[in-house]
Amino acid sequence: MNTISVFILGLQCQAQVNEAVNRGLIYTKTGTQVSSNLNFTNESSGNFINNGEFHFYRNYKNEGLFSYSSNSTSGYVVFEGKNDIIQKITGDSPSFFYDVLFNKPAIDYAFHLDNEIESSGIVNFYDGIVLVNKNNGGSFTFLDGANQTNASSKSFVDGLVTKEGNDSFKFPIGGSGNYRFAGISAPSNVVDQYIGQYFYENTDNLYPHKNKTGVINKINDKEYWIINKEIYSKNSVILTLSWDDQITPKDLLVEDAKYLHVVRWDLSQNLWVDEGGIVDFQNKTVTTPVEVDGFGIFTLATIKPNLLNPGDVVIYDGVTPDGDGINDYLIIDNIQNFPKNSVKIFNRWGTEVYHTSNYDSDNNVFNGFANTGQSFGGSNKLPTGTYYYILEYEYNRDGESYMVNKAGFLHLENND
């Protein structure tokens, strides 16, 4: 077999016809530009330290170490090409890139990712969609401090994207040829790790739209997002979802989308719940007013305009904690937008049996058990009956704070 030897800074790389193979050490110095017009394989014995600029015009496979020097702020990798051939990024060993550019025009799913890419710098989605094949080991991770630029309908990630660190982030995600980003605010904990993925699918079969709190009107039946927290902490984020005039159902966008909110599937209750919504019509986004109460499945929905006004909440006065996913706890729609709140519940003799602050946060809800006062038959489980509640919350309007008080009766059905 014919081979040639390539020396980079005195280090040897062997290349075969139609394929370049590294079995040793390659080091590219800052300011050095190198390219491969052949299929490139970094074998298990290969050690590739890229502090310069490396262009891949054909397939890339990594079975060894591909990285950059510690504390380096350089190390640029470019995947590009002018032909209509899919560029495959494969290999069983993760690839550590600093800055990355994807630039391959005029082809759907230009890049097939079956390798684990981790970036510490800027990922430039200039042209070409990156299809992540998770079942083949593909993954895309933005490390602490990493970010992306230029993501659009021409170039994004179709698949799951992971973001580490405590900076705000706009997930460059989409599906079925559609760029449909989601954004999160900066977490307070640097070790947090979030994942985002978009699906151009109807959620109704798996997450029935009929199971929803009363304030929700119509749920998006075309698309949804998964936003999850991979490393557990009590931190949460403000979430932004986007809409598209050609994809998002038009009946969700009536009257300049003013009724559009973010909704979440509450797994514990098997119920769609309202996370609120601040509409930016110019940028076509909806943002939750405060940090979301949970993670998982999100989509867009409209609320009933005559049921929930700004600064208002809706209290559902029936509680049946029987595990059927319907009214298993005292539901107060929109209360997550007013975290400075308190809930008190009294029995018919005026004895306080429940008292909490910041209701509906971190599973802080009334589900038929007393947390104050005397026990009932040696248990905190409250008997079936009618109870009286007092809700107080702070509402900010035009820079002024107001305390809102609501009171009424609720019926608890707490049979074994």
Side-chain angles (χ1 to χ4, degrees):
M1 182 176 294
N2 295 327
T3 64
I4 60 174
S5 295
V6 178
F7 292 86
I8 301 175
L9 299 180
L11 303 173
Q12 188 176 36
C13 170
Q14 292 185 336
Q16 302 173 353
V17 175
N18 297 324
E19 183 176 15
V21 179
N22 177 46
R23 299 186 178 94
L25 175 63
I26 297 178
Y27 177 89
T28 60
K29 188 177 180 181
T30 301
T32 302
Q33 293 186 8
V34 184
S35 64
S36 173
N37 288 298
L38 306 175
N39 294 328
F40 184 91
T41 298
N42 189 44
E43 292 197 346
S44 58
S45 60
N47 190 346
F48 199 130
I49 304 300
N50 177 43
N51 292 333
E53 183 175 322
F54 206 105
H55 293 243
F56 294 101
Y57 289 95
R58 299 289 295 275
N59 298 331
Y60 162 87
K61 183 178 183 180
N62 181 42
E63 301 289 346
L65 174 66
F66 195 111
S67 188
Y68 48 89
S69 296
S70 299
N71 301 320
S72 175
T73 56
S74 63
Y76 186 37
V77 173
V78 180
F79 293 99
E80 60 183 338
K82 304 300 182 183
N83 53 45
D84 59 356
I85 299 175
I86 293 171
Q87 194 166 8
K88 297 179 181 179
I89 304 169
T90 64
D92 293 330
S93 293
S95 300
F96 299 94
F97 303 146
Y98 195 80
D99 295 329
V100 189
L101 169 66
F102 292 97
N103 182 20
K104 192 176 181 67
I107 180 174
D108 292 335
Y109 296 112
F111 308 98
H112 282 203
L113 179 59
D114 295 352
N115 181 238
E116 180 181 344
I117 288 180
E118 298 189 12
S119 173
S120 296
I122 300 297
V123 180
N124 188 344
F125 293 95
Y126 188 79
D127 209 341
I129 298 172
V130 181
L131 178 63
V132 177
N133 298 314
K134 183 179 179 180
N135 293 336
N136 294 334
S139 67
F140 210 124
T141 300
F142 290 77
L143 300 174
D144 185 24
N147 218 318
Q148 59 90 8
T149 187
N150 288 329
S152 69
S153 57
K154 293 199 311 179
S155 184
F156 56 84
V157 176
D158 189 334
L160 188 147
V161 170
T162 301
K163 176 66 178 80
E164 297 181 355
N166 64 340
D167 45 343
S168 59
F169 187 67
K170 188 175 180 180
F171 285 92
I173 52 179
S176 300
N178 306 305
Y179 172 53
R180 306 295 291 110
F181 71 87
I184 59 173
S185 63
S188 59
N189 193 330
V190 71
V191 302
D192 276 350
Q193 185 180 85
Y194 294 85
I195 62 170
Q197 190 170 3
Y198 170 81
F199 296 86
Y200 186 52
E201 300 173 13
N202 189 354
T203 58
D204 191 32
N205 289 333
L206 295 176
Y207 314 101
H209 293 181
K210 66 180 182 179
N211 295 356
K212 59 186 178 182
T213 58
V215 71
I216 299 173
N217 186 16
K218 179 176 175 55
I219 298 175
N220 191 337
D221 61 2
K222 298 293 185 183
E223 56 189 344
Y224 68 95
W225 292 257
I226 293 179
I227 305 295
N228 253 327
K229 184 162 53 175
E230 289 286 270
I231 298 178
Y232 177 78
S233 73
K234 291 187 176 181
N235 297 317
S236 189
V237 293
I238 293 172
L239 176 65
T240 298
L241 298 182
S242 57
W243 81 77
D244 186 289
D245 292 336
Q246 303 303 314
I247 299 170
T248 307
K250 296 188 184 304
D251 52 357
L252 299 183
L253 306 176
V254 295
E255 298 186 48
D256 292 342
K258 72 177 184 179
Y259 302 120
L260 204 57
H261 277 202
V262 175
V263 295
R264 173 178 59 86
W265 177 256
D266 189 317
L267 186 60
S268 64
Q269 298 297 317
N270 292 319
L271 192 71
W272 286 100
V273 297
D274 177 33
E275 292 284 358
I278 300 173
V279 175
D280 183 339
F281 191 79
Q282 182 176 359
N283 292 309
K284 299 181 180 180
T285 62
V286 185
T287 301
T288 61
V290 295
E291 294 177 344
V292 295
D293 282 336
F295 294 93
I297 308 296
F298 292 87
T299 192
L300 300 170
T302 53
I303 59 168
K304 297 176 181 177
N306 297 324
L307 186 58
L308 188 60
N309 297 315
D312 198 7
V313 300
V314 176
I315 303 168
Y316 298 89
D317 56 8
V319 181
T320 56
D322 53 9
D324 67 353
I326 302 175
N327 296 325
D328 282 340
Y329 64 94
L330 177 62
I331 297 172
I332 307 178
D333 265 329
N334 213 31
I335 192 61
Q336 74 275 8
N337 296 335
F338 311 104
K340 293 183 178 180
N341 67 64
S342 68
V343 174
K344 298 178 182 179
I345 297 176
F346 304 84
N347 65 16
R348 59 179 177 172
W349 296 283
T351 301
E352 184 178 86
V353 296
Y354 182 85
H355 187 181
T356 192
S357 299
N358 196 7
Y359 188 84
D360 204 13
S361 64
D362 196 25
N363 295 318
N364 180 25
V365 295
F366 173 68
N367 58 0
F369 284 82
N371 67 0
T372 186
Q374 64 182 0
S375 62
F376 297 83
S379 171
N380 286 335
K381 184 176 182 180
L382 293 168
T384 294
T386 300
Y387 293 80
Y388 185 76
Y389 67 81
I390 297 176
L391 167 65
E392 183 179 59
Y393 62 92
E394 183 182 73
Y395 169 53
N396 293 295
R397 183 180 64 192
D398 300 328
E400 297 288 337
S401 294
Y402 303 87
M403 294 308 298
V404 180
N405 291 276
K406 288 180 176 287
F409 290 96
L410 67 88
H411 180 75
L412 172 65
E413 191 69 36
N414 214 2
N415 294 328
D416 292 331

